[in-house]
């Protein structure tokens, strides 16, 4: 049940968050990879609304059922590239922050696939979807109602 409806949320919140989304979606980062990390963050946070949304977006972009169903156990599979695995590891660590720095074992593999500017963008993307998940869980938006835009 919704606690706060879409119409009750100050629209500036959505406008400013969407400006960041548009920046990230138009960056040099692969949009499919961004959606993969967004779905992973949603899973880690237990945000059903975000899982529904990013699952549907990835399906629209021809992601396979096998990879979608295995994302929650990505470390135990061989379905993800080394680049994706580096991003997913970084996503997992950054989503569940510990009281110690991000290790070189997590950061250095990113350098094999991304520029430092792109790593900064990945960090923002992970932080951004974590923000969305926290908003959706607080507001109580109902999962299953997300509709793709044409």
């Amino acid at each position: 049940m919704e606690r706060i409806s879409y119409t009750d949320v100050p629209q500036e919140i959505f406008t400013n968050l969407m400006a960041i989304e548009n920046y990230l979606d138009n960056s040099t980062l692969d949009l499919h990879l961004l959606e993969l990390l967004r779905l992973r963050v949603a899973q880690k946070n237990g945000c059903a609304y975000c899982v529904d949304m990013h699952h549907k977006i990835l399906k629209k972009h021809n992601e396979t059922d096998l990879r979608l169903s295995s994302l929650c156990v990505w470390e135990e599979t061989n379905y993800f590239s080394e680049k994706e695995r580096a991003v997913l590891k970084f996503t997992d660590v950054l989503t569940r922050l510990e009281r110690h720095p991000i290790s070189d074992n997590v950061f250095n593999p990113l350098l094999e696939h991304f520029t430092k500017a792109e790593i900064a963008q990945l960090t923002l993307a992970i932080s951004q979807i974590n923000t969305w998940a926290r908003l959706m869980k607080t507001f109580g938006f109902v999962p299953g109602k997300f509709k793709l835009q044409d």
Side-chain angles (χ1 to χ4, degrees):
M1 181 167 188
E2 276 188 353
R3 291 182 185 134
I4 302 173
S5 73
Y6 180 83
T7 57
D8 292 328
V9 177
Q11 291 306 296
E12 294 82 6
I13 290 176
F14 292 128
T15 300
N16 287 302
L17 287 173
M18 287 309 298
I20 295 169
E21 291 295 321
N22 291 331
Y23 164 74
L24 291 167
D25 288 351
N26 291 296
S27 72
T28 59
L29 296 173
D30 178 68
L31 188 56
H32 193 91
L33 185 63
L34 282 172
E35 285 303 325
L36 201 62
L37 80 80
R38 288 169 176 153
L39 179 56
R40 182 62 182 146
V41 169
Q43 290 175 339
K44 296 284 287 183
N45 284 312
C47 180
Y49 185 88
C50 295
V51 166
D52 173 56
M53 173 189 292
H54 297 291
H55 181 272
K56 287 174 180 173
I57 292 170
L58 281 163
K59 284 295 289 182
K60 180 181 177 185
H61 292 165
N62 300 316
E63 185 54 82
T64 67
D65 289 331
L66 178 62
R67 284 172 39 106
L68 284 169
S69 66
S70 300
L71 185 59
C72 62
V73 291
W74 68 267
E75 288 180 292
E76 300 174 33
T77 72
N78 61 357
Y79 314 136
F80 300 94
S81 70
E82 288 304 312
K83 182 177 183 177
E84 290 168 331
R85 295 176 75 74
V87 169
L88 291 170
K89 182 66 173 177
F90 186 52
T91 298
D92 284 359
V93 168
L94 199 55
T95 296
R96 298 279 191 219
L97 285 176
E98 301 290 332
R99 295 183 59 99
H100 51 78
I102 304 291
S103 75
D104 289 343
N105 292 338
V106 172
F107 185 81
N108 289 343
L110 295 170
L111 293 169
E112 297 175 26
H113 305 284
F114 301 99
T115 65
K116 289 181 179 178
E118 289 172 326
I119 294 170
Q121 292 169 330
L122 283 170
T123 305
L124 179 61
I126 295 163
S127 300
Q128 175 81 347
I129 188 60
N130 272 289
T131 297
W132 280 114
R134 283 151 178 78
L135 291 172
M136 296 305 101
K137 287 182 75 92
T138 299
F139 300 163
F141 280 16
V142 178
K145 294 187 175 187
F146 174 78
K147 298 213 183 335
L148 293 167
Q149 303 292 321
D150 292 328

